[in-house]
Every structure is written in C-alpha cells, then in structure tokens.
Amino acid sequence: MEMGKAVMAVVVGVLVLAAHCEAGKLAASFVFGDSLVDAGNNNYLTTLSKANIRPNGCDFKPSKGAPTGRYTNGRIIPDIIADELGIGGYAPPFLAPSAKGSAILHGVNYGSGGSGILNSTGAIFVGRLSLEVQIDNFVETRKELISMLGEKGAKDFINKSVFSITMGANDFINNYLVPFASTVQRVFVGEDSFIDQVISTYHVQLKRLYDLDARRLVVANVGPIGCIPYQRTINRVDEDQCAALPNELALKFNKRLKDIMKDLNANCTGATFLLANTYDMVEDVIKNYAKYGFEASNLACCGRGGQFKGIIPCGPTSIECTDHTKYVFWDPYHPSEAANVIVAKKLIDGGPNDIYPMNLRKLISL
C-alpha cells in the first residue's frame, strides 16, 4: 500500500511538472519571509504574533472569510501572483499537516510573522521562524521532492520554480528599533555596524538557497517602514508625515542589498536574482493614494490606539473601517489586499524601477 502511494506520488509529480513546462508556466513558488507573506505558519507556533483571529482574512474567498493566519483582510502578494501566473494553487504553509506529498507541488510557504534575517529578531514575540530556520525547513521539503521525483526530477523542478524572499523589515522594527529593549544596542553597536551584520547574514543565506538548487530568486528590499501606522503613531508624526529614522535605515539597508544582489548575479552561475523595489512601489501608493482609488494611506483600516489606529493589532476589539478596499493599510503593520494587488501586478509586469533586471513574467519564460 505504501509503495503504491509512493509510485502514485511520483507519477502525479512528473505529470504536474510536465504540464507546467509545456504551458510555459511557473512550476512552483517557494516563499520565504516575515508576516507580509506568512500564509499560516505562525498558527502552529507558541507565539505572540498571530493573525488567526477575526476579522483578519474576512475577504479571503478560499476560506469564506475565516482567518487563515494571513496578516491582512484577503490575499497576500504570493497568493495574487499565483492567481495571475496560473500556478493553480497557493503554496501551503510548511508547518500545516497537509503540506505533504502532492500538496507541495505548487510550492511551499515558509513565511513567519515576526521573523527576520537575524536569528535574534522578533524575540519579543517568543516563537517565530528566522530565515535560517525557514531555509532549514526547505531542506526537508527538498528531501521530500527527491523522494517523489528522483534526484534529477527534483533538481529540475526546483530550478524552474521561483523563490521569493521578503525579509529585513523586522530586523529594524522588531529588533534595532524596539523601544527600550534595544537602546544599548543602538548606542554601542550603531546603525552602520548593525546593517553590516544583517547584510552579511543575508548574503550567506541567499547563497545557501542557490547551493540548494534555487535558480530563480526574487528578493524584496525593505519598504518605507516609517510610514506604517505603528511607526507613525509611536513617533507622533503629523498627519502627512512618516517617521524619519525607520525610513533612513531602510534606505541604507536597501543600498547595501543592491550591492550583494550584483555580487550574487555575477558569481552564482546559471541563477537570476531579481531585486524587487518594494520601497519605491509602496511609497508611491502611499503618497499618491487617491490616484490608486484609496481614501487613506496613513491609518489602519483595522486597529486601535493613537491617531493612526497604530498601537493594537487587528482583532475582535479593533475599530474597523467600512470599505476595506479604500485603505492602503489593513492593520498597524500590513497592507490591505487592495494594496497587495497593486504591488503584485507591478512585480509581474512592471518595469526596471519596480523589479530589476526583469519582471516575473519574463523570469518564468526563461
């Protein structure tokens, strides 16, 4: 019986891979990152960072409005990309019991709310999966793919899949910039040394993915974190202002990230590393929100506390806006599905200022 199941899994895997290749579609999507892309992994952790409570997920059609662990009202960016590029299913969270066998042939989501590039990031939440742990988990997925598809089949499958990495924001928000807890670090380490540490760690982990057969990698830079309702609230900025220091740190980090992306593209034979310019894309939506059909870009649709509803995360006691499509931010930290759609579509078909050196549609046609 077990042998029959194994044979069937191999047959299904080969057919799925062949179908994707013939159609010129994306084989699968392997997603790494923080709460911006967590599809429910934190549901299975002992952590203070969870989104499996209402009204999170209220506009997520596959769950009929029930919370799934996504930190927004609907789809996260990897979901939207899957829909637009015809993958045929969303990458399941790695920790979900169902993320086994043929279920992983659309890819796997390793994202974890509160996590960062550094293992120490997000300690205030207790449980979270750092980037290093997420890649350790991919190693387990890779073993399973080999058992299903064989060495060559698994390698081909992984080579043709897209790996997206959305990390770095929490290394500032929930590490370097944590009120009181990191004061000593800021004074004695300094921002340049801290960014050095984050960037060097990131470089090692991205190269590790390459060594594990990833060949199509999309790395998002850090967005304008000083503009999220939480940072606006705790820094007591004016209605039309963002907090300066968080954005300055993000821009410094992004400049360094650009350098390591050049190095990886130059030295990782056969791989294409794409840099997604999240900072400029999101800043444009925030500054020109009315042009995109939004009514507000400075406060949370679902939150509580302070001028921008930026202190208490979205939950049953939150103050919730009436029209979720009119707000750039769903909660104190995360974009709404409507904002996610704008960014996702730019990643798919945007120009070199959005994603460089090519967009996702061109990447999967290689």
Side-chain angles (χ1 to χ4, degrees):
M1 182 66 72
E2 290 302 319
M3 183 173 290
K5 289 181 180 179
V7 171
M8 182 59 69
V10 171
V11 171
V12 170
V14 171
L15 290 174
V16 169
L17 179 56
H20 282 305
C21 291
E22 288 175 11
K25 293 181 179 179
L26 177 62
S29 175
F30 293 98
V31 180
F32 303 79
D34 52 31
S35 56
L36 291 170
V37 299
D38 187 348
N41 281 303
N42 276 28
N43 295 351
Y44 303 94
L45 299 177
T46 301
T47 177
L48 298 176
S49 179
K50 288 194 177 187
N52 59 344
I53 53 172
R54 295 180 184 275
N56 292 298
C58 56
D59 300 311
F60 190 66
K61 293 180 181 178
S63 69
K64 298 181 180 179
T68 62
R70 288 166 169 82
Y71 292 73
T72 188
N73 59 305
R75 293 172 297 168
I76 52 178
I77 288 175
D79 299 333
I80 299 162
I81 291 172
D83 286 338
E84 294 290 326
L85 293 180
I87 294 175
Y90 299 159
F94 173 82
L95 294 180
S98 59
K100 302 291 181 184
S102 60
I104 69 173
L105 293 174
H106 294 304
V108 178
N109 186 307
Y110 306 91
S112 174
S115 66
I117 296 166
L118 300 181
N119 289 334
S120 60
T121 291
I124 57 173
F125 300 119
V126 188
R128 75 279 182 210
L129 308 174
S130 69
L131 180 57
E132 181 179 18
V133 173
Q134 291 181 33
I135 298 175
D136 288 344
N137 290 340
F138 170 69
V139 170
E140 297 306 309
T141 299
R142 185 172 176 272
K143 291 176 183 176
E144 186 169 359
L145 287 170
I146 290 171
S147 71
M148 293 169 64
L149 306 174
E151 288 275 359
K152 185 180 185 304
K155 184 174 182 179
D156 289 345
F157 184 80
I158 293 168
N159 284 173
K160 289 178 172 64
S161 300
V162 168
F163 288 69
S164 63
I165 307 95
T166 305
M167 279 285 190
N170 281 331
D171 292 285
F172 298 106
I173 297 171
N174 293 313
N175 190 332
Y176 190 77
L177 291 171
V178 171
F180 311 115
S182 61
T183 301
V184 173
Q185 176 173 254
R186 293 202 298 274
V187 170
F188 292 100
V189 176
E191 63 186 50
D192 290 336
S193 294
F194 181 78
I195 292 173
D196 283 345
Q197 181 185 3
V198 177
I199 282 291
S200 61
T201 304
Y202 210 10
H203 198 170
V204 169
Q205 296 300 340
L206 292 174
K207 177 61 167 56
R208 186 178 170 210
L209 281 173
Y210 171 80
D211 292 337
L212 291 166
D213 299 324
R215 292 296 180 268
R216 300 176 179 184
L217 302 98
V218 183
V219 182
N221 66 14
V222 173
I225 52 178
C227 300
I228 63 176
Y230 168 72
Q231 286 293 335
R232 289 183 193 251
T233 300
I234 66 170
N235 285 283
R236 300 180 181 179
V237 300
D238 293 337
E239 190 171 295
D240 60 347
Q241 288 184 324
C242 297
L245 178 59
N247 281 354
E248 289 170 8
L249 292 169
L251 288 170
K252 278 191 173 185
F253 172 86
N254 291 346
K255 185 177 180 181
R256 297 288 306 280
L257 178 60
K258 197 172 183 180
D259 291 337
I260 69 168
M261 293 291 283
K262 288 179 181 177
D263 178 79
L264 290 164
N265 272 317
N267 294 296
C268 294
T269 305
T272 302
F273 285 81
L274 273 56
L275 179 60
N277 188 5
T278 305
Y279 191 100
D280 284 358
M281 285 188 280
V282 174
E283 184 180 55
D284 178 53
V285 174
I286 290 170
K287 286 183 175 179
N288 302 296
Y289 64 91
K291 181 183 80 172
Y292 289 99
F294 294 108
E295 294 177 356
S297 67
N298 59 353
L299 70 160
C301 167
C302 181
R304 201 177 188 93
Q307 182 181 0
F308 306 104
K309 294 195 292 184
I311 299 297
I312 301 173
C314 184
T317 63
S318 297
I319 301 170
E320 186 181 346
C321 69
T322 303
D323 189 343
H324 304 161
T325 68
K326 298 299 183 183
Y327 281 66
V328 172
F329 289 99
W330 166 245
D331 67 11
Y333 301 90
H334 308 98
S336 63
E337 180 185 291
N340 281 337
V341 167
I342 294 169
V343 174
K345 289 187 174 181
K346 287 186 177 184
L347 293 174
I348 294 168
D349 291 310
N353 189 57
D354 299 319
I355 182 167
Y356 182 85
M358 67 186 73
N359 58 40
L360 285 175
R361 199 176 297 278
K362 290 180 180 176
L363 179 69
I364 66 171
S365 70
L366 293 178

